[in-house]
Amino acid sequence: MLMSVKKLKTGLVKNKIKGLALDIDDTLSFTWSYWAQSLQEKFGGPKDLSLTEIRTKYQLVQNVPHWQSREAYEWMEMARKSNEIQELLPLIENSNKMVERIDKIIPVVCYLTIRGQSVIPGTEKWLRKHGFPKAPVIAKPDDLPLEEGSIWKAETLRFLYPHVLGIIDDNPALINYLDASYKGTIFLYNNLEIPQTPLKVIQCKNWEDIPEKVVNFLQT
Ligand SMILES: [Mg+2]
C-alpha cells in the first residue's frame, strides 16, 4: 500500500475521524468535456453530433473512432501527464459548493483518483483554485498501468474502511472490483445504470442531490 495511504489511515485512526473520499475526474472536474473538445479541434469528430451526443453514444473518448489514431492516443498520454492541463479543466457546476456543504456534515478526508502521482501538483492547484476543502490527494502510482486503476482504487478503499466510509464517484466499474465484504458506500454520481451488486450503492443524479443523500446515509 502507498505510503500516502498508510499515512492517511494512521492520521484518521489517531484523530478518530471518519469521512468520505471524493473522485475527481468527471465527478468534480468535467475532464471528459475538455478532452473531447481538444480532440475534436485537433483530430475532427463525428459529424452532426454535439459533444453531449458523442458522450451518450461512445461514453469513453477512447471509443470514438475519430480519436483512435496514434496521434490522438499520444495527445491523451500527454494530457494524462500534464500538470498544466489538470489546472485548466472545467469545474462541474456547483460541485465545489455542494462539497463545501457535505464537508460540514461529514469531513472530506481525501481525494482518491486514478490520475498518476506525477500530476498531484496540478491537481492540488485546481482544487485550491475552486475552493475545495483541503485534504490529501491520493493518486495512482505512476508505474501502475491505467487499466489497473480501478482495481487499485477498490483496494485502497477497502484498506481505508471504516475510516473512509465511502466515496462519491462517477465510475460504475469501481463496483465490479469490490465484493460483498466491502461495507462502505458508493455514492454513484451521474450514472443511472447500477450494475447488479450486493454493495451499498446510492444513486445520485446530480450534485444538488448529494448533501441530502449524505445526511440520510449517516442517519441509517
Ligand atoms: Mg471519475
Side-chain angles (χ1 to χ4, degrees):
M1 195 55 60
L2 279 174
M3 269 311 289
S4 55
V5 178
K6 286 188 188 161
K7 202 177 135 200
L8 170 66
K9 186 170 175 173
T10 310
L12 294 173
V13 172
K14 194 174 141 216
N15 298 307
K16 299 192 171 65
I17 294 171
K18 287 186 178 177
L20 287 181
L22 297 182
D23 172 49
I24 300 174
D25 290 306
D26 296 309
T27 296
L28 306 178
S29 66
F30 202 0
T31 309
W32 191 93
S33 120
Y34 183 90
W35 277 44
Q37 219 162 351
S38 306
L39 288 162
Q40 191 168 45
E41 275 164 29
K42 288 177 198 343
F43 308 106
K47 290 211 167 51
D48 313 321
L49 291 183
S50 68
L51 285 182
T52 311
E53 288 164 335
I54 295 175
R55 194 179 190 199
T56 308
K57 186 169 175 188
Y58 295 103
Q59 307 206 346
L60 301 177
V61 290
Q62 291 89 329
N63 296 340
V64 179
H66 298 72
W67 304 336
Q68 291 177 339
S69 63
R70 193 167 58 86
E71 289 76 11
Y73 282 132
E74 279 171 3
W75 183 89
M76 293 180 205
E77 254 321 279
M78 180 283 296
R80 270 185 208 107
K81 291 180 180 158
S82 161
N83 275 291
E84 291 71 30
I85 286 185
Q86 316 312 321
E87 286 181 54
L88 293 174
L89 298 174
L91 177 75
I92 290 184
E93 208 180 337
N94 268 342
S95 63
N96 53 355
K97 292 196 192 101
M98 293 302 121
V99 167
E100 198 185 333
R101 208 176 281 178
I102 291 163
D103 188 51
K104 286 181 186 138
I105 306 168
I106 176 172
V108 170
V109 291
C110 69
Y111 299 90
L112 182 57
T113 174
I114 59 174
R115 289 182 184 180
Q117 288 186 305
S118 62
V119 294
I120 290 179
T123 302
E124 287 177 335
K125 276 192 192 166
W126 185 90
L127 289 166
R128 268 204 304 277
K129 175 167 119 188
H130 294 290
F132 283 99
K134 198 168 158 36
V137 174
I138 308 288
K140 177 182 78 60
D142 283 310
D143 55 1
L144 195 72
L146 191 65
E147 307 79 69
E148 290 173 34
S150 292
I151 302 173
W152 167 81
K153 200 184 226 185
E155 276 169 10
T156 306
L157 278 173
R158 240 196 312 261
F159 177 78
L160 289 171
Y161 185 82
H163 314 288
V164 174
L165 287 165
I167 186 166
I168 305 175
D169 202 308
D170 68 301
N171 184 8
L174 185 59
I175 294 164
N176 302 332
Y177 299 110
L178 289 162
D179 59 24
S181 67
Y182 179 66
K183 300 299 175 201
T185 298
I186 314 285
F187 294 85
L188 191 63
Y189 166 70
N190 193 28
N191 218 300
L192 301 181
E193 279 164 47
I194 295 185
Q196 208 55 11
T197 175
L199 300 176
K200 285 182 227 159
V201 179
I202 298 175
Q203 220 171 21
C204 307
K205 227 167 149 183
N206 51 48
W207 268 104
E208 280 68 20
D209 277 356
I210 306 183
E212 198 190 325
K213 294 206 167 167
V214 170
V215 170
N216 292 340
F217 153 74
L218 289 170
Q219 284 166 348
T220 52

